[in-house]
Amino acid sequence: MAPDRDPAAPILSLSDEDLMGRVAEDDERAFPELVRRYQGRVTNLVSRVLNDRECADDLAQEVFVRVFVHRRNYRRGSKFSTWLFTIAANLAKNEIRRRVRRRNWFSLDALQEVLKDSAPQLADPTEGRESKMEREQLRDAVGRAITAVPEKYRLSLVLRDIEGLSYEEIAQALGIPGGTVRSRINRARSMLKRKLQPLLRKEGTP
Amino acid sequence: MKCAQVRELFGAYWDDEITQGEREWIESHFAGCPACREEYEGYARTLELVGSLPREEAAPDLLERVLARTRRAAASPDRLPIPRAAWVPVTAAAALAMLVIAALSPWMPIRPRATKDANPATPAPREAVAILTPARTGESRMPGAASHATSRGGSLVADSLFDHSEDVDFILDPGTVRRGHVRPVSPHPSTVQGERAVISF
């Protein structure tokens, strides 16, 4: 008997897809295991897209609740992670749009401030190594620069460069053609590079 | 032009989502174009910075919170946020509006079409109805309504909307009375009291 059909099969040994099949059949052991497997990736994804840790926790929770609520809509045979990231990307997109509507939005001026503060310290030749504070400032600057990239490019960027999805998986998760994924990723990276240019220059300075 | 084409492929080159031919073409271009090479180095450093971001861990109580919510959802399935088809609320609203209109129609003061429906050959004079509103409404209150019609020039024309065998109580439109469009002058005996006229036939 195949493991996905065998009710006695250990949950831990099941694939994501088999687990999701069990969730759809109301096997109470399956859903917590799926959440355990993906909670870190989902939290990281939404956190990097929004650059807002607190909101990321709530949104990650919402993603899994939706997986459960829509469990019977999961198409058997399709890759679970792609379906999950589709839900996560849609919720993140909605949150970005809600923020834009409310003007509760990260401003480019704020980014410039962060870059201004971070760059000189990173380039300081008297520093033999990056202090913890510098590293945090750098990460903060990069995180903010990501959120300054427009939403449609940002999602592709985060799915690719932070979550490591393939172009094909991104195309499926976002419902766009592969060629569009390629151009969006390239565009997003170029935008990010321009935004981080002051940091790159200082870093490159001997 | 060649530089622009090469830069369009930076992403695919970095991700190794590129054909062998494209790879060779880009690398031969880099060999002769320091500007593109430098541009690509900046591109690569940007991606290294993004890749160096630490991974955010899930909240320690995330699983617990999710399970609490799913248990609540399972306990009261009618509270599940299941999306409904967009046409459902629209159709429901339209049906409700129709019901309200149907329910209120007997009390609606102006019903120019009702008479017409009862007898297609007796069109209701809109202006007259607007000016003279019968105080007694409803079909049953006007048993002879629109029952008298005469033929003029081959077409049927109503000579009255009301039963001539009984008094008809009218409420005169005050605005029209003030403008003098309606005067209580009639070949029939009539009594006008304030804004109310009782015409006996």
Side-chain angles (χ1 to χ4, degrees), chain B residues 115 134 136 138-149 158-170 188 198-201:
Chain B
T115 307
R136 285 183 272 172
E139 299 291 345
S140 62
R141 295 298 197 93
M142 295 186 291
S147 60
H148 304 271
D159 63 352
S160 175
L161 292 172
F162 309 105
D163 195 337
H164 288 221
S165 62
E166 64 179 78
D167 292 347
V168 179
D169 201 354
F170 291 98
H188 305 289
V198 178
I199 301 173
S200 301
F201 295 97

Side-chain angles (χ1 to χ4, degrees), chain A:
Chain A
M1 184 181 280
D4 63 315
R5 296 280 116 205
D6 179 6
I11 286 290
L12 293 178
S13 68
L14 293 178
S15 68
D16 298 340
E17 289 70 27
D18 290 342
L19 271 178
M20 191 57 218
R22 294 277 189 97
V23 174
E25 290 163 4
D26 292 329
D27 181 335
E28 289 185 358
R29 299 170 305 155
F31 184 61
E33 175 56 22
L34 266 182
V35 177
R36 272 187 216 103
R37 286 186 192 182
Y38 280 94
Q39 58 183 356
R41 289 188 76 182
V42 169
T43 302
N44 192 50
L45 169 71
V46 289
S47 176
R48 290 300 171 204
V49 170
L50 300 172
N51 197 36
D52 181 340
R53 178 57 216 242
E54 199 174 320
C55 180
D57 287 339
D58 291 340
L59 217 55
Q61 187 189 141
E62 190 59 36
V63 170
F64 288 110
V65 170
R66 291 207 181 194
V67 166
F68 181 81
V69 167
H70 298 288
R71 61 194 180 279
R72 294 190 225 290
N73 295 344
Y74 170 70
R75 202 159 37 85
R76 272 185 180 272
S78 62
K79 196 170 176 186
F80 170 73
S81 60
T82 305
W83 187 61
L84 177 72
F85 285 129
T86 303
I87 295 172
N90 282 336
L91 284 173
K93 214 184 299 182
N94 291 345
E95 178 60 22
I96 292 168
R97 289 175 185 171
R98 193 184 66 82
R99 288 177 179 213
V100 169
R101 282 199 299 273
R102 292 186 178 191
R103 299 276 179 251
N104 177 18
W105 188 236
F106 168 70
S107 75
L108 282 177
D109 292 344
L111 173 63
Q112 293 303 329
E113 283 301 307
V114 173
L115 293 176
K116 204 167 67 187
D117 293 345
S118 310
Q121 291 184 47
L122 288 166
D124 187 348
T126 62
E127 286 284 334
R129 57 188 168 83
E130 286 179 353
S131 69
K132 191 182 173 195
M133 197 179 80
E134 286 167 352
R135 280 201 303 275
E136 280 175 4
Q137 282 181 326
L138 176 62
R139 286 166 184 168
D140 192 34
V142 176
R144 283 170 177 267
I146 291 171
T147 55
V149 173
E151 166 224 306
K152 70 176 180 180
Y153 302 109
R154 194 189 327 165
L155 281 165
S156 302
L157 176 85
V158 174
L159 286 170
R160 173 66 208 162
D161 290 327
I162 292 179
E163 282 311 313
L165 267 64
S166 70
Y167 282 28
E168 195 185 338
E169 286 171 321
I170 296 170
Q172 285 173 11
L174 300 182
I176 54 177
T180 308
V181 172
R182 187 162 149 159
S183 63
R184 281 191 187 179
I185 288 175
N186 206 38
R187 188 93 189 267
R189 288 169 173 172
S190 297
M191 288 179 196
L192 194 62
K193 177 177 170 288
R194 277 198 299 277
K195 290 177 198 307
L196 293 173
Q197 199 68 45
L199 276 179
L200 299 175
R201 274 203 206 100
K202 296 286 180 185
E203 275 200 321
T205 307

